[in-house]
Amino acid sequence: MSSPAGEIGETMAGRLDAGLATNLLDATQAAEGFVRPRPLGCVNVDTVSLSGKELAAAVNADTKARAAALTDGGAAPRLALIVANDDPASAWYVNSLRKAAERLGITCDTVDLGPEAGVAQIRAELTARGEDAATDAVMLQTPLPAGITLDDVSSAIVAAKDVDGVSPLSLGLLAAGLDGFVPATSEAVVELLDHHRIPLAGRHVAVVGRSNVVGKPLAQLLLAKDATVTVCHSRTADLAAVTAAADVVVAAAGRIGLISGKHVREGAVVIDVGTNEAPDGKIVGDVDADSVRGRAAGLSPVPGGVGPVTTALLMRHVVIAAESR
């Protein structure tokens, strides 16, 4: 169902000044527009910001055109967003999704079940939306009420409408390499790397975090790109030693500042998936950006990196689901 966004926009090398391009690229790769991690021992690395805004804009433009075509044909795409919490951060994200859908010509129905909803009520709503011919896509917003896990309810989401790829069937299709929707955040990481022309085949990628919505599916997507993947977690012995040996480090653990300069080899690429609220109210990632800059060849910013690409891909999935009616 889902398809790659492709290599959109300028190459990363095209954005670099001549001096930085010389430091990062050998002659062959510079000609091809690829960035490769520098060998250990390199110094004075100028870290490139791996923004996702340009990629997101390109994906959104395509999605908007496809949504308009569906609407012109009398079948406007419709997303059902199921919410069962009173979390302020979740409310902010739900509002941002509604605004994004509206801008792109997608109808978004928000169903607020409240923080007291039980497993049976959530599953019933997911089932009803799956059976509703007018609903093209279904997404369950987290967090869920206390005592309820995604595993308890996600199987009620029909795979054909599971645009965030969280159901057991969707995850199984991904693991088997079969067609289906994949978690948008995991897909956004790979699309962002592709967009900036960072090669993955044969590279060692360390994924920090093993959740079913980011870490595990991301590992599957990276394996499909012929990367060598190490998944790190809370029980990983000597995390810094593992990540410092990687060409690409993806931080997706949900802990502020978990990854610092000591976790990153000089010349590696770092993707920060984290979206955490700092004590001052600002949104920050899992990476201590100040300590990583000057060591990493590239670092995705928070906000403005993986986040906008995730939202754009989620909206694209909605349109793909509508096109597959």
Side-chain angles (χ1 to χ4, degrees):
M1 295 174 189
S2 55
S3 58
E7 297 173 336
I8 303 170
E10 298 176 350
T11 67
M12 187 175 180
R15 296 186 188 85
L16 303 174
D17 60 45
L20 181 55
T22 299
N23 287 337
L24 289 177
L25 306 173
D26 63 22
T28 301
Q29 289 194 321
E32 295 177 350
F34 288 110
V35 173
R36 70 174 184 178
R38 300 176 68 192
L40 289 170
C42 295
V43 294
N44 300 323
V45 177
D46 293 325
T47 303
V48 176
S49 178
L50 305 178
S51 173
K53 293 180 179 179
E54 183 182 73
L55 172 58
V59 173
N60 284 334
D62 175 67
T63 298
K64 186 173 184 178
R66 292 162 69 174
L70 287 167
T71 301
D72 290 344
R78 181 179 295 272
L79 166 67
L81 185 54
I82 314 302
V83 183
N85 65 66
D86 56 2
D87 181 73
S90 173
W92 178 89
Y93 183 60
V94 167
N95 189 49
S96 70
L97 286 178
R98 291 182 63 183
K99 290 180 178 179
E102 182 179 345
R103 287 194 300 269
L104 299 175
I106 297 170
T107 300
C108 182
D109 298 330
T110 302
V111 181
D112 189 355
L113 300 179
E116 303 302 321
V119 170
Q121 185 181 0
I122 295 172
R123 289 185 63 90
E125 185 63 37
L126 294 173
T127 299
R129 289 291 176 162
E131 295 172 349
D132 179 18
T135 299
D136 299 299
V138 178
M139 178 180 170
L140 177 62
Q141 176 63 21
T142 56
L144 296 171
I148 301 177
T149 68
L150 198 56
D151 291 341
D152 294 329
V153 295
S154 60
S155 61
I157 305 175
V158 176
K161 299 184 179 185
D162 182 20
V163 290
D164 207 19
V166 299
S167 74
L169 179 53
S170 294
L171 292 171
L173 291 170
L174 172 60
L178 300 176
D179 195 27
F181 288 117
V182 302
T185 301
S186 300
E187 186 181 14
V189 172
V190 176
E191 295 284 6
L192 188 63
L193 290 167
D194 280 351
H195 173 68
H196 287 287
R197 305 295 176 93
I198 298 167
L200 291 170
R203 303 294 179 182
H204 178 198
V205 183
V207 177
V208 183
R210 56 177 173 180
S211 72
N212 284 339
V213 293
V214 182
K216 290 178 182 177
L218 175 56
Q220 297 292 336
L221 292 173
L222 291 167
L223 287 171
K225 288 283 188 177
D226 297 321
T228 298
V229 184
T230 300
V231 178
C232 305
H233 46 79
S234 59
R235 297 297 181 91
T236 297
D238 199 351
L239 177 64
V242 177
T243 58
D247 301 308
V248 178
V249 178
V250 182
R255 288 178 54 189
I256 296 175
L258 175 63
I259 301 300
S260 63
K262 71 177 183 180
H263 295 87
V264 180
R265 61 174 284 181
E266 292 164 342
V269 170
V270 181
I271 302 296
D272 193 349
V273 180
T275 52
N276 312 291
E277 184 175 354
D280 61 3
K282 293 182 179 179
I283 298 299
V284 297
D286 289 359
V287 176
D288 178 3
D290 289 340
S291 68
V292 168
R293 292 191 188 98
R295 293 183 63 83
L299 169 65
S300 68
V302 176
V306 174
V309 181
T310 298
T311 300
L313 292 175
L314 184 61
M315 294 298 121
R316 184 176 70 178
H317 290 180
V318 175
V319 169
I320 291 172
E323 291 172 339
S324 303
R325 283 191 189 124

